[in-house]
């Protein structure tokens, strides 16, 4: 994620929403992510009533939670993303919006949410220390569950990325981590890995992990 993208302006949010999941491949990815999330929500069950979507982007997953009767807080660094996420619900009052910087201490008390969902953000964090800081904050403010998406290291994808960068097809630098690295970072943040879902096995490096809080680590 480069600096230009961090503070998405209103017109950029509109353009992003219009274009991001337009292509067939991206629609397939979005559909698969939704299916995995539905499975996870079945597992976490009814204990998850208050959900924090962080970062929420334009609210791609808002409906998923609202349709199941959960209360939703949508957070993002970009005010305009938060605003758009709120607009995506049938009634504005259904979603609370909070502008936050995930890289800093989060403005929520310990054990504030039953479930946190963080999709498509972790792979932009290149420093292990920073990832651990973020995970500790997620663990602190959650009572039980964290859904975290990350890119899992895989030789094929590393090669593919290198090649794409060479022919200048990809501007974003994605940080892929191994399952071992994820486990270490998750566990030192007071969480455990319950299950990891792969989007399309070897074809896609994106993974979604269900994490459970074990303790609060200060
Ligand atoms: C790739 S989008 C993912 C949004 C959403 N989770 C999804 O999957 O559709 C990344 C989002 O992270 C937000 N973002 C970037 N840096 C951030 C930060 N430091 N704190 C909070 N949000 C941030 C951006 O504004 C953007 O909306």
């Amino acid at each position: 994620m480069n600096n230009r993208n961090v503070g998405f302006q209103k017109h950029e949010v509109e353009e992003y929403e219009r274009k991001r999941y337009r292509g067939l491949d991206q629609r397939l990815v979005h559909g698969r992510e939704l299916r995995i999330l539905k499975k996870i929500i079945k597992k976490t069950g009814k204990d998850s009533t208050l959900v924090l979507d962080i970062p929420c982007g334009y609210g791609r997953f808002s409906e998923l939670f609202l349709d199941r009767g959960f209360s939703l807080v949508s957070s993002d660094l970009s005010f305009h993303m938060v605003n758009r996420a709120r607009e995506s619900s049938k009634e504005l009052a259904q979603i609370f919006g909070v502008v936050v910087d995930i890289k800093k201490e989060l403005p929520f008390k310990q054990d504030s949410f039953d479930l946190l969902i963080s999709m498509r953000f972790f792979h932009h964090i290149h420093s292990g220390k920073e990832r651990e800081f973020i995970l500790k904050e997620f663990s602190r403010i959650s009572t039980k569950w964290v859904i975290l998406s990350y890119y899992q290291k895989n030789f094929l994808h590393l090669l593919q990325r290198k090649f794409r960068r060479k022919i200048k097809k990809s501007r974003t630098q994605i940080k892929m981590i191994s399952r071992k690295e994820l486990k270490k970072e998750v566990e030192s943040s007071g969480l455990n890995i319950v299950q990891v879902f792969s989007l399309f096995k070897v074809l896609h490096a994106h993974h979604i992990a269900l994490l459970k809080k074990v303790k609060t680590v200060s």
Side-chain angles (χ1 to χ4, degrees), residues 78-107:
S78 155
F79 165 79
H80 296 286
M81 282 290 189
V82 173
N83 226 11
R84 183 66 198 121
R86 292 195 67 222
E87 281 170 8
S88 68
S89 72
K90 284 153 211 136
E91 285 175 50
L92 269 185
Q94 279 185 302
I95 304 181
F96 291 93
V98 185
V99 174
V100 299
D101 183 349
I102 303 183
K103 294 180 180 176
K104 306 223 168 97
E105 205 171 292
L106 297 171

Side-chain angles (χ1 to χ4, degrees), residues 1 5-8 16 20-21 30 33 53-61 75-78 81 99-104 106 117-121 123-125 149 206:
M1 197 170 315
N5 283 345
V6 164
F8 278 99
Y16 180 83
R20 179 63 179 89
Y21 291 94
H30 172 67
E33 286 178 359
D53 186 0
I54 178 167
C56 59
Y58 61 82
R60 197 158 61 98
F61 300 113
S75 265
D76 201 283
L77 184 63
S78 155
M81 282 290 189
V99 174
V100 299
D101 183 349
I102 303 183
K103 294 180 180 176
K104 306 223 168 97
L106 297 171
I117 171 163
S118 185
M119 292 291 290
R120 296 194 164 270
F121 180 75
H123 58 276
H124 294 298
I125 309 298
S149 87
H206 195 209

